[in-house]
Amino acid sequence: MEEEAKGGVKNVLLVKFKEGTSESKIDQLIQGYANLVNLIDPMKSFHWGHELSIEKQLEGYTHVFETTFESVEGVAEYIAHPAHLDFANLFLPNLEQLSFSSTADQQVITKKNPSEIQVMMMELLPDPKHQS
């Protein structure tokens, strides 16, 4: 039971790539996303697939990405990690829209402008001036 209480944090990202983004570019971005699990220790798993639900297809999402982290602190470490920041700078400009949800707080954010997610992530980072 204690193991279940620890659980971890799951994040789900639904995306629609911009029209004209080639399949090879999408494949390259997915491979880059998947590789983050090898570079960022608190990121424990990565899964992806095509969005198939009727509800989401109506909204235009095409891909689903699920990541699992060891803890909320692990998510913060992931967000601040240089490999994640570099990847986000490559990934986000190729998106037309996205929806992000996290089991940590059950919050769902839907944005038509993916750069807003990057701003949100930066706001979640601890202020280095307040660190000891």
Side-chain angles (χ1 to χ4, degrees):
M1 290 284 192
E2 195 170 313
E3 277 304 307
E4 288 180 12
K6 290 182 186 177
V9 178
K10 286 200 183 289
N11 291 336
V12 176
L13 184 68
L14 303 173
V15 305
K16 177 182 181 183
F17 287 95
K18 287 182 179 175
E19 194 170 322
T21 306
S22 70
E23 285 300 317
S24 63
K25 178 67 173 181
I26 292 171
D27 289 344
Q28 179 185 16
L29 291 168
I30 291 170
Q31 288 173 9
Y33 201 165
N35 191 48
L36 292 178
V37 77
N38 299 315
L39 302 174
I40 306 173
D41 192 49
M43 185 178 181
K44 297 305 179 190
S45 71
F46 171 84
H47 303 282
W48 77 275
H50 293 280
E51 172 52 73
L52 298 176
S53 71
I54 293 169
E55 296 84 4
K56 294 302 178 194
Q57 279 189 337
L58 293 174
E59 294 178 27
Y61 297 109
T62 58
H63 293 75
V64 179
F65 301 97
E66 179 192 73
T67 51
T68 304
F69 299 89
E70 62 189 19
S71 64
V72 172
E73 294 79 15
V75 174
E77 185 178 331
Y78 164 81
I79 289 170
H81 196 283
H84 172 255
L85 295 173
D86 289 345
F87 173 73
N89 286 329
L90 296 173
F91 188 70
L92 292 173
N94 289 283
L95 302 181
E96 184 175 318
Q97 68 186 55
L98 57 83
S99 175
F100 170 82
S101 108
S102 175
T103 60
D105 59 10
Q106 296 300 309
Q107 182 172 323
V108 177
I109 303 163
T110 302
K111 302 286 185 188
K112 300 258 186 220
N113 180 354
S115 63
E116 292 176 10
I117 288 290
Q118 196 164 16
V119 170
M120 177 196 71
M121 290 187 310
M122 296 309 291
E123 290 171 354
L124 294 174
L125 293 175
D127 186 341
K129 294 179 227 165
H130 295 101
Q131 300 218 348
S132 44

